[in-house]
Amino acid sequence: MTITTSSFEHDVLHAPGPVLIDFWAPWCGPCRLVGPVVEEIATQYAGRLTVGTLNVDEHPAVAQHYGITSIPALVFFHEGQVRDTVVGAVPTHVLTARVDEVLRQTAARGPAQRTASRSYGGGRMRLGCEECGAPGELVAWTRPVHRPLHTQI
């Protein structure tokens, strides 16, 4: 999928799952080397990962916004946030390992965990299904440095 400045928000930031964007330029030799690897990843992970390319010469504002100073830059997005970045031409097995890790991390963030992780402080919270609104379990959480730890009460 070709990403543009006008399609970036919809196709990447509001995508329903994880997205890998290849920031590239036609004059970039390493970009041409990594292109087939990105295409292979798109085929291999179809249905689990959206893969797109963004030409930094044609859409410099997006590249600048995300601090892309070297290309190729392969940036993983999920829920509108950058989750990981790979810079430079990397072998297929290296990129596949990063894709697997990003997919593992995003799958681990189920609806209940996403809801609780938006809360701050300590206390109790009744988590429900984000899709149908059904009531859920009563959980307690604490606030460590990065993400809440959950224990059932």
Side-chain angles (χ1 to χ4, degrees):
M1 168 180 7
T2 300
I3 304 296
T4 64
T5 302
S6 60
S7 71
F8 189 85
E9 184 173 348
H10 177 266
D11 292 342
V12 178
L13 301 181
H14 296 295
V19 179
L20 170 62
I21 299 299
D22 176 11
F23 288 84
W24 73 287
W27 49 263
C28 169
C31 296
R32 290 193 306 270
L33 290 174
V34 87
V37 175
V38 172
E39 289 175 16
E40 183 179 329
I41 293 292
T43 302
Q44 183 178 351
Y45 291 91
R48 297 188 293 158
L49 178 72
T50 301
V51 178
T53 61
L54 186 136
N55 183 326
V56 298
D57 287 342
E58 295 174 358
H59 307 284
V62 176
Q64 286 177 329
H65 179 79
Y66 288 98
I68 304 300
T69 57
S70 296
I71 54 175
L74 307 167
V75 182
F76 293 90
F77 292 86
H78 186 248
E79 296 180 336
Q81 301 294 316
V82 173
R83 300 296 178 190
D84 197 5
T85 301
V86 177
V87 178
V90 295
T92 304
H93 73 277
V94 172
L95 187 55
T96 301
R98 296 294 272 276
V99 169
D100 290 338
E101 178 62 19
V102 167
L103 291 176
R104 186 189 64 72
Q105 289 175 357
T106 58
R109 293 178 49 95
Q113 187 174 0
R114 280 196 306 268
T115 302
S117 68
R118 291 186 196 119
S119 301
Y120 297 97
R124 295 175 185 213
M125 174 182 196
R126 184 163 302 278
L127 300 177
C129 177
E130 290 183 357
E131 293 180 19
C132 70
E137 302 172 289
L138 186 64
V139 296
W141 70 93
T142 59
R143 187 173 163 225
V145 175
H146 292 290
R147 91 171 57 131
L149 299 174
H150 302 278
T151 56
Q152 186 173 358
I153 297 178

